[in-house]
Amino acid sequence: MDRHPENDLHRLPDHLDRIRRYAADLLAGLDERPAAVAPDPVKPRPPAEGVGLEGALAEFAERWEPGFSGSAGPRYLGFVTGGTTPAALAGDWLTPVLDQNPAVDLDSTAPGLERETLAWLRDLLGLGGAHTGAFVSGATQSNTVGLAIAREWLGERAGVRVSDAGVAALGDVRVLSGTAHSSVLKALSVLGLGRDALRAVPTLPGREAVDVAALERLLDGRPTVVVANAGTVNTGDFDDLQALVALRERHPFWLHVDAAFGGLAALSPAHAPLVAGLAEADSVCVDLHKWLNVPYDSAVQFTRHRDLQLRVFRNNAAYLTDPAGDPDFVHLTPENSRRLRALPAWFALRAYGASGHRAIVERNIAQARLLGDLLAADARWRLLAPVRLNIVCFTLADAPDAGRIAALLREVAATGTAFLTATALDGVPAIRAAFSNWRTTDADVPRVAAALADAHTKVIL
Ligand SMILES: *Cc1c(COP(=O)(O)O)cnc(C)c1O
């Protein structure tokens, strides 16, 4: 048996061909694959002797792959989940083939590919030349990096270098947000600012968007970070970024914008006004493994304050480059060594450009609207918010209750047709459907509505 990689080496082309065929079959079956699979624990096996690549592939296909969901497929509408376009897949496959480490500019042009990709993304998102970017693993990490730079800025205003003196030197910090994503709390915990630093600011009536007048009343000269939201996960709502930028003129604060998926609204001329003002933000978070439809492990972090970013993340060592000038990526994010994370996005942007990605975004928005219209016309459901972008937030018209909604969603998932997730909006138990997959067709929308109606008949008496 081929227990040593050297033995697999001489048959590598055959192995790759086998994996390619297996992958092609999986992709061809995505439309029929259950959107979600009820977690049924696979019994772990004890560590064993190696079985070679072929044996490992056979065992994976038999024991694990059947329990994997169709999350890359067209009717997985839970959370905000993109799929993988063909070009993004090509970039991802090639990433470990060349296995570059773009942390430093010492041995290859790979970091240059990341810079090119970041410049393309900056243009796509309508950010100006004042912003510089870096790749991170996801929006949680992007929010963490943005808030770490904010923390350094707060220190600068208080006359301390938090990156040297530590967070204790900073004293009280306030982070204000209308409808902050849960990852912001995690970031505050990681950064030593603490979850308690977050103060919820009232939102506009019936909205998840921050009430800017209420925010202004809270600004009293204390050091403050405002986390603005460009696309909330429940209803896809947007803060008025331009109003926040104007407010910052009168009361200095750090403006961080969580535009994890909503940033992609910039691609649609009809929706781009939702992100007007994004270019003025001090730090911006955008996920790529959501609406850009590249595989997981991809987000970007942009900031107008690279000097502060460098202070936080610089990683001086005798064998590394000096961070002066255009710093290497090793000096800009929490990671040192990492994969060439930009390559899937580079392939996607080069293959499909702005217009190809605009078409995905606009199609998904139209699909969300269509589902919203179908549900609004059905007496079983009640929309909890207008469909502003790609998310439909709704509930049972009659006595919405978390237990009934959970049972209903389990029933929908059990059919394999679709996967939607539960939430609560203003205390009302609710359901949300998020459209962000390039594979979703308009014909999928009535199928989802029908699966919901069938589950309603079965579960809701
Ligand atoms: C998804 C999401 C996040 C967290 O993203 P991860 O990629 O899961 O780390 C943060 N903010 C918003 C608004 C999101 O939609």
Side-chain angles (χ1 to χ4, degrees):
M1 222 169 282
D2 300 333
R3 286 182 184 159
H4 301 282
E6 312 81 271
N7 295 337
D8 280 332
L9 183 60
H10 71 276
R11 295 174 55 210
L12 194 52
D14 291 344
H15 287 313
L16 291 178
D17 206 41
R18 190 173 296 110
I19 294 162
R20 183 194 60 72
R21 276 183 275 120
Y22 178 57
D25 286 348
L26 287 176
L27 290 170
L30 260 187
D31 197 37
E32 285 82 51
R33 194 175 189 92
V37 181
D40 180 15
V42 176
K43 196 165 171 289
R45 283 188 184 160
E49 271 301 325
V51 291
L53 197 166
E54 218 177 315
L57 181 62
E59 181 170 326
F60 170 73
E62 191 231 309
R63 288 183 62 221
W64 289 104
E65 176 253 293
F68 283 20
S69 73
S71 61
R75 290 176 309 283
Y76 186 101
L77 308 178
F79 315 105
V80 182
T81 306
T84 299
T85 55
L89 177 65
D92 204 69
W93 276 16
L94 290 174
T95 302
V97 169
L98 291 161
D99 204 18
Q100 304 289 291
N101 180 355
V104 290
D105 281 279
L106 278 176
D107 58 359
S108 88
T109 60
L113 179 139
E114 292 219 328
R115 290 195 184 91
E116 178 169 277
T117 314
L118 288 161
W120 292 350
L121 286 164
R122 186 172 61 187
D123 185 56
L124 207 74
L125 296 165
L127 296 171
H131 275 276
T132 57
F135 272 84
V136 289
S137 56
T140 301
Q141 189 74 304
S142 180
N143 280 332
T144 306
V145 173
L147 293 172
I149 308 169
R151 186 182 61 178
E152 195 68 10
W153 178 83
L154 292 171
E156 190 174 63
R157 295 184 63 82
V160 292
R161 277 194 179 222
V162 176
S163 49
D164 293 326
V167 73
L170 197 52
D172 240 14
V173 164
R174 269 189 328 172
V175 180
L176 303 177
S177 189
T179 311
H181 188 267
S182 55
S183 61
V184 169
L185 290 160
K186 186 193 267 199
L188 294 175
S189 166
V190 167
L191 293 169
L193 298 170
R195 292 186 165 92
D196 291 350
L198 184 70
R199 282 269 309 271
V201 182
T203 53
L204 296 170
R207 299 278 304 273
E208 288 190 298
V210 73
D211 178 340
V212 178
L215 173 63
E216 181 160 20
R217 287 193 289 276
L218 291 171
L219 297 172
D220 54 7
R222 274 191 284 170
T224 300
V225 175
V226 171
V227 175
N229 302 293
T232 57
V233 285
N234 275 336
T235 65
D237 208 344
F238 286 73
D239 290 349
D240 182 341
L241 300 181
Q242 283 177 311
L244 293 176
V245 169
L247 186 60
R248 189 183 56 179
E249 294 289 311
R250 301 197 292 279
H251 309 273
F253 54 77
W254 180 278
L255 179 60
H256 173 80
V257 182
D258 181 351
F261 65 92
L264 276 281
L267 280 168
S268 157
H271 296 84
L274 292 171
V275 285
L278 190 65
E280 302 305 317
D282 294 292
S283 51
V284 177
C285 151
V286 180
D287 239 336
L288 305 183
H289 56 215
K290 287 178 178 163
W291 224 354
L292 198 72
N293 280 265
V294 304
Y296 282 114
D297 200 340
S298 191
V300 281
Q301 190 286 317
F302 284 101
T303 182
R304 301 161 65 89
H305 304 263
R306 178 161 273 191
D307 52 332
L308 299 178
Q309 181 172 23
L310 195 50
R311 270 202 228 156
V312 178
F313 295 104
R314 94 187 131 78
N315 188 87
N316 289 6
Y319 58 91
L320 294 177
T321 48
D322 189 329
D326 193 4
D328 293 350
F329 289 113
V330 70
H331 302 298
L332 295 175
T333 67
E335 293 154 310
N336 284 351
S337 303
R338 60 174 173 82
R339 77 199 310 252
L340 179 59
R341 193 167 275 140
L343 197 54
W346 186 93
F347 264 83
L349 293 172
R350 196 68 197 96
Y352 312 125
S355 60
H357 288 95
R358 176 178 308 124
I360 297 172
V361 163
E362 292 191 329
R363 198 159 69 226
N364 286 154
I365 293 171
Q367 289 158 352
R369 284 224 181 109
L370 174 58
L371 183 65
D373 291 347
L374 293 175
L375 298 178
D378 183 331
R380 283 173 279 223
W381 314 108
R382 178 162 64 89
L383 287 191
L384 289 176
V387 179
R388 291 195 176 81
L389 196 67
N390 60 331
I391 295 176
V392 189
C393 187
F394 62 103
T395 193
L396 298 166
D398 196 26
D401 140 305
R404 281 159 32 112
I405 283 176
L408 184 127
L409 291 180
R410 270 198 305 277
E411 177 61 30
V412 172
T415 66
T417 307
F419 181 68
L420 292 79
T421 42
T423 189
L425 189 69
D426 271 339
V428 179
I431 304 172
R432 47 187 293 298
F435 289 84
S436 37
N437 191 304
W438 71 284
R439 286 178 177 271
T440 310
T441 66
D442 295 354
D444 286 310
V445 179
R447 284 184 68 185
V448 172
L452 283 163
D454 287 350
H456 189 285
T457 307
K458 273 199 177 159
V459 172
I460 313 291
L461 302 172

